[in-house]
């Protein structure tokens, strides 16, 4: 995406690397969903919307798990 704005997770400390992976996870999920649904090259707007949706779903799932424990 915007290469150079964020450090690479392999070059960061463990805490920063975990946060970087958490930031990238919704975008990876959005790209996976786009390719799994059979669409060829999705637009940036579609990827951002899918990333927001998958991030919200992941956040709700984490909140539910934390509330139960």
């Amino acid at each position: 995406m915007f290469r150079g704005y964020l450090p690479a997770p392999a070059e960061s400390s463990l805490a920063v690397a975990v946060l970087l992976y958490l930031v990238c996870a919704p975008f990876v999920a959005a790209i996976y969903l786009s390719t799994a649904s059979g669409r060829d090259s999705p637009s940036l707007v579609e990827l951002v919307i899918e990333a927001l949706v998958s991030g919200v779903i992941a956040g709700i799932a984490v909140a539910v798990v934390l509330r139960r424990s």
Side-chain angles (χ1 to χ4, degrees):
M1 289 191 295
F2 298 105
R3 199 173 300 221
Y5 285 162
L6 294 174
E11 299 172 354
S12 304
S13 65
L14 179 62
V16 174
V18 169
L19 289 175
L20 288 172
Y21 282 123
L22 289 176
V23 167
C24 291
F27 288 99
V28 171
I31 291 171
Y32 174 76
L33 289 174
S34 293
T35 55
S37 65
R39 291 185 295 183
D40 288 335
S41 61
S43 68
L44 179 62
V45 174
E46 291 174 342
L47 283 178
V48 169
I49 290 171
E50 291 172 357
L52 287 174
V53 169
S54 61
V56 167
I57 291 171
I60 291 171
V62 168
V64 167
V65 168
L66 290 177
R67 294 276 308 210
R68 289 184 185 256
S69 62

